[in-house]
Amino acid sequence: MSGVCGCCSALKPRYKRLIDNIFPDDPQEGLVKNNMEKLTFYGITNTEKLDRIGQYLAQRLCRDVARLRHRKGYVFMSMEALDRLLVTCHAHSLNLFVESFLKMVQKLLETDDPDLKVLAVESFVKFANIEEITPNYHRRSMYDFFVSKFSSMCHSTDSNPDTRLRIRIAGLQGIQGVVRKTVSDDLQVNIWEHMNKIVPSLLYNMQQYSVEAEPETPKEEETNPAAAAENVLRDVTNKASFGNIQNILKPLLEHLDNHHLWVPNEFAVKSLRIIMFSVQAQYGHEVVKMLMTHLDVHNQSDPKVKAGIVDVVSNTVVIAAGGSIGPSVLDVFNSLLRHLRKSIEVQTTNSEDVDDEMKFQDTIINTIGEFANNLPDYQKIDIMMFIMSKVPTLDVVQTGVYTKHVQLQTNLLRTILKVATKYKTTYMNQAFQSPFLEPLLQMSLSDDQGTRLIVQHILHTLLDRHNNSQMFTFVRTVKDISELKLSIEKPSKQDTYFMRKTGNQFYSHICENIQMESNKVANFESLYCTMCLLCIELGEEDVQVELFRLVLTIQHSVNMGSLPMTHKCAIHAVIITFMDLVSQLIASPALGDYVQQIIEARQKDAPHFLPEFAFNRNNKTESYPETFVANDEWMFSSDTISDILSASGYNTLRLADDFHYNPTGRSLDQMDASGRTIADSTSLTLSLESLDSSPGQKRKSLVEEITFESLKKVLADESEHKKAQEKKQKEILETFQTAPFEEIVAKSEAQANDLQERFNKILDGLAMDKVLTTGQGVTEGTEDQTIGGLDITYPDLFVY
């Protein structure tokens, strides 16, 4: 029958006649427009015929492909007809037509003709943009073929550069079409299982055709495979859910490993930044987690490779930090610190390897700083406390391998400094919490002068809220403090309380730190800056007096000590410079004149005690005096300073006492024989004697025999008391619910009057007690009539 129909077209079914009529005799003329419109109208009105139309077009296409040499034009026209029918006809029966269409696309992709491959991709992309009403779930094998074929096209090695470029771009477009068609429906095909083919294909083109800037127009993506590959990678990543991110990252990291793209790492940084900017914000931390896991895999790799991976982490955590909360932050920091410790423990004699390890350590520190920069302030404090907990203590350093521990100390403190530079201090009690401040100040007493210097820099960063520290980089006297343009604000109540609580810790460690023999010029300069910042940022009157006391104590200790001449000169220069600054800060002409008097005396007879000489880095040993002499006219007198401050209204009772320091941070003059501070002892005494101070109340003996019967009695009394309280509360509640309003008001007024009388008697008793303490007699009867404050019985209506 088919043979008869071939000879007599009138016997063919109508859909076949319509299809035959769209093809002209000369393929260069293109599809017959009128006949194509008839075929389209027929397909729309007779949707049940679409599957047969597709099958017949597929037959013609296969025949034309077989005779490709003479029928290539008809192949293009067949695909054009299919595209028009596919775009125009939307029906439930379109699935069967699609099957024929996809078989035709597959047939063209299997040919060796580049033009037909490109044609197949273009048709498939048009199909991918169509939303099907009823998806078909038996195309899995066909989509698997498309992924493999499009991926192979991305690696085309055609000898003709133009042809190779066209095929690669077509392959990228085909991958994008498959992703868009299947990513939202895993029942058709799980596209994430094919990422091991798709991702390397994208990266290969991004690497081969690097693009310096974002594509400005869609046409650039059509001519630049790198731009097209980046666009596809963004599209794939954006559609990835939490469970599918690893399907993208795993082949990406393997590609970077296999092609040795970590050193240099420009391409790795670029690829991961594309991932981070495209992935959904709530999943960004998962990317960082996988990078850290990959760093663990390279634990034994070359330090350059590890530094490259950490540098990539540094560029990605900046983007992910905003969405990283909770334990994920500490996990990242813990992993980085672990690698930092291992890097320090590496033992090698090769100078090049040592340099690589140091660069790796610097990269880790910078990465932690960049990550912390994008965290909220409360997390930055937690991070600094977390890192401080990892710093080995002085005891460990003394008993362990000294050099390695000092190096670890230094690097961890550098890490804290990096985080501190990203933190903006508001209140000191928040920045200097006890678990952080105490070990930090302990580090300021380290034997290594470099470690002590980093600690001072950390203090500068956290203390300096108004960017004043840069004015105190060098120790130098200033004639007019207004030239420094300092920003000064009055300390808040929180800061005042903070200094009253922890000020002695700062003073004690400064006093001991400044007298260490291993100090260099930079150490003295940093300690001077710390003292200035304490005075400017927290300098209320009590703090200023304590700083004067600290300076006088340091002066006395240096004069009596056995430090080298260079150190003594530097310390006296720090003292005179600090006193000159404070005299101008508190605007005390008398103190300023006194400081100038000492400066002039030193300029005349002891210039080595001035900063211009002591901090001149060109000095030599023979430049200093052979013997140390401290004349009274060159030194500050505590009596003179006390008189000046007293005249200005300062409380100088403590100024005459030397400031005794110890490593615990508590001054010895504030401790009693048992080791408690005077404040603690005083508060204890007050609490014990508070009953004696109450009028009419005698202090009960604290000594009472405890037996089983006494404990049983206490439990019974508590039970009875509880029942009585519940009964009383019930009566009060019933009174308010049932009694008239006038009765409640009258009862309340009566009890209020009774309460007022009791208060008056208490006040009278307090007045009599005051008279008794001043030496005036009081009759015994009057004293007995005094009612103690502890015997007050409040009205029922005032108790719940």
Side-chain angles (χ1 to χ4, degrees), residues 96-141:
L96 298 177
F97 176 77
V98 170
E99 296 300 320
S100 300
F101 167 79
L102 294 178
K103 288 180 180 178
M104 294 166 65
V105 173
Q106 181 177 354
K107 186 69 175 179
L108 295 181
L109 290 174
E110 290 173 346
T111 63
D112 296 330
D113 192 304
D115 294 332
L116 295 185
K117 289 183 178 180
V118 174
L119 175 64
V121 171
E122 292 175 351
S123 296
F124 182 81
V125 170
K126 294 176 183 177
F127 162 71
N129 292 328
I130 298 175
E131 294 185 6
E132 298 182 67
I133 298 176
T134 54
N136 197 319
Y137 299 127
H138 61 272
R139 301 176 190 161
R140 182 179 295 272
S141 60

Side-chain angles (χ1 to χ4, degrees), residues 187-231:
L187 294 179
Q188 288 193 102
V189 60
N190 187 1
I191 193 64
W192 307 109
E193 295 178 354
H194 299 280
M195 286 298 149
N196 58 342
K197 299 178 183 177
I198 293 176
V199 174
S201 301
L202 301 177
L203 297 176
Y204 176 77
N205 284 274
M206 290 169 57
Q207 186 180 355
Q208 292 291 319
Y209 305 89
S210 62
V211 55
E212 299 297 332
E214 297 291 332
E216 297 180 357
T217 60
K219 292 183 178 180
E220 186 174 346
E221 294 184 8
E222 298 176 1
T223 57
N224 191 336
E230 288 182 16
N231 188 37

Side-chain angles (χ1 to χ4, degrees), residues 762-775:
I762 292 172
L763 294 175
D764 293 341
L766 291 175
M768 292 178 183
D769 185 64
K770 183 175 180 182
V771 173
L772 180 61
T773 57
T774 57

